[in-house]
DNA sequence: GTGGTCTAGACCACC
DNA sequence: GTGGTCTAGACCACT
């Protein structure tokens, strides 16, 4: 499902969070789909279950997954009303990265094309 | 010139690097412009000169500034042939953020407009 | 493991970087092999741990080693896609040295033989 | 004739030495050709004549140029018996660079071709 | 015990 | 005065 990169300096739970989040926002994991249990996942990655627990808890707080006691954890539905704070923060990150790519000489058209591709995929899958 | 956030968990030199980089790529600091000396900057921020030294050294190896012994440190000219690895890494970050913003429901047009604004400013300043 | 030359005008951390790099590219140190800890190495060379830290950090950003917090530092796997800038710079150095050796009258065949020996060893060890 | 790079961390006289040496070994400057006087050269580069003096003196010691009092400085003839020490040092540098390029995955044939090109040019010019 | 950050203070080369 | 190196010693996060 995903692989760990020990040469990455971030804590393991952050890596796991990020990779799961990517699978969710990219549409690879669908609404209400079941994800592995904490213990299962920990066994698969050969790490401490607490690390998975922490990642799942954070993702639940951020609204990306939900857990049902004795059932397991599932992908949350796409939020209808988006979190304004979260969007603002991401948009700041977005403009920052665009500034840097512009500085490094990447063509504007390439970025616009990337955006169209991403939005196109999403529409198609909905 | 810039302020430090001691509640931020990232190292001080990373914060300094990031903020200087933003000033450079946004065009606020021009080619060959002198930036404060190591000691001067350290005094302004009330931190140890070694911390500034480290930030400057890193920015120099990344190609954003250059230092001349006994002269000072200066903004580097915009790279003609950009580092392919660096661009690739930033572009990955870009698509990742766009995926997330798309998931959260931000309109495609907003992002495209942001890009046009940023590229427009740069053209205007050249 | 290696010795320092205090009569050399270059900084200690540069000497350490260079010698470790030679051990890596010559194949004396294998992928994922553990190298001495920062403190251990510093004690062996009778220098300050910060100097080793600096050498390790530089080698990590250059992609020759990787460090894992609370685990140690290790030889990085051989890069699949090599850094174009780095190769270009080394190749320039290469042609420059060849020009000089040619000027000094060294036979072309000697250089070609050296190259075949080096590439032969690598193939054999893989 | 040559340009200075203030972002280079080496002393100016070393930069000048290196660039002149390259012009000599590459054949761009021929035997007994006159090179600019110390004061002329210093004026051209807008630097202190002492810096040029130092570069010329070093190049003369190493046998690349010779000076005639009241006449000027000239390119020395190609040495018949080469300095064994110098060749050995360059060859060490050579094998070191080749090892690194091999490690980074550059094809053996590319290096051999480079050598053939360089030696070919020299033969043609003699 | 590991890598990593930061401080304080010294010294060097260069100009 | 500048950038740059090195030391000594403290503290942190993570396992």
């Amino acid at each position: 499902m995903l692989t760990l990169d020990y040469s990455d300096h971030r804590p393991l739970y952050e890596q796991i969070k990020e990779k799961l989040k990517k699978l969710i926002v990219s549409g690879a994991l669908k609404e209400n789909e079941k994800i592995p249990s904490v213990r299962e996942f920990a066994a698969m990655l050969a790490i401490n279950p607490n690390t998975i627990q922490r990642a799942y808890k954070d993702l639940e707080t951020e609204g990306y997954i939900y857990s049902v006691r004795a059932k397991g954890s599932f992908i949350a539905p796409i939020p209808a009303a988006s979190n304004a704070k979260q969007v603002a923060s991401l948009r700041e990150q977005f403009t920052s990265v665009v500034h840097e790519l512009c500085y490094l000489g990447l063509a504007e058209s390439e970025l616009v094309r990337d955006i169209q591709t991403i939005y196109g995929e999403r529409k198609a899958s909905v």
Side-chain angles (χ1 to χ4, degrees), chain A:
Chain A
M1 191 154 184
L2 58 82
T3 54
L4 295 176
D5 175 8
Y6 280 99
S7 71
D8 190 329
H9 281 198
R10 291 172 309 168
L12 290 184
Y13 75 83
E14 274 208 30
Q15 277 185 59
I16 295 166
K17 270 177 61 180
E18 193 216 80
K19 292 190 177 170
L20 278 179
K21 207 185 278 189
K22 269 193 184 167
L23 289 173
I24 297 170
V25 302
S26 72
L29 294 174
K30 303 288 185 190
E31 276 185 30
N32 300 316
E33 192 171 335
K34 191 175 187 309
I35 54 178
S37 78
V38 169
R39 271 178 295 178
E40 259 175 355
F41 214 160
M44 280 161 57
L45 297 176
I47 59 175
N48 194 311
N50 288 332
T51 306
I52 303 290
Q53 189 68 275
R54 167 97 189 247
Y56 276 17
K57 198 192 127 224
D58 280 20
L59 284 171
E60 190 166 3
T61 310
E62 294 177 29
Y64 288 96
I65 67 174
Y66 63 93
S67 298
V68 181
R69 190 188 299 263
K71 288 273 191 171
S73 301
F74 305 85
I75 305 299
I78 297 177
S82 59
N83 182 335
K85 234 182 175 176
Q86 200 178 350
V87 171
S89 154
L90 280 169
R91 204 159 169 188
E92 221 176 275
Q93 225 181 304
F94 173 82
T95 55
S96 178
V97 170
V98 172
H99 260 122
E100 202 157 344
L101 283 166
C102 168
Y103 181 80
L104 291 175
L106 191 68
E108 184 179 346
S109 55
E110 297 253 3
L111 296 184
V112 172
R113 196 170 357 118
D114 280 2
I115 290 181
Q116 288 169 345
T117 308
I118 292 167
Y119 274 81
E121 280 169 9
R122 168 132 319 246
K123 255 188 224 151
S125 81
V126 174

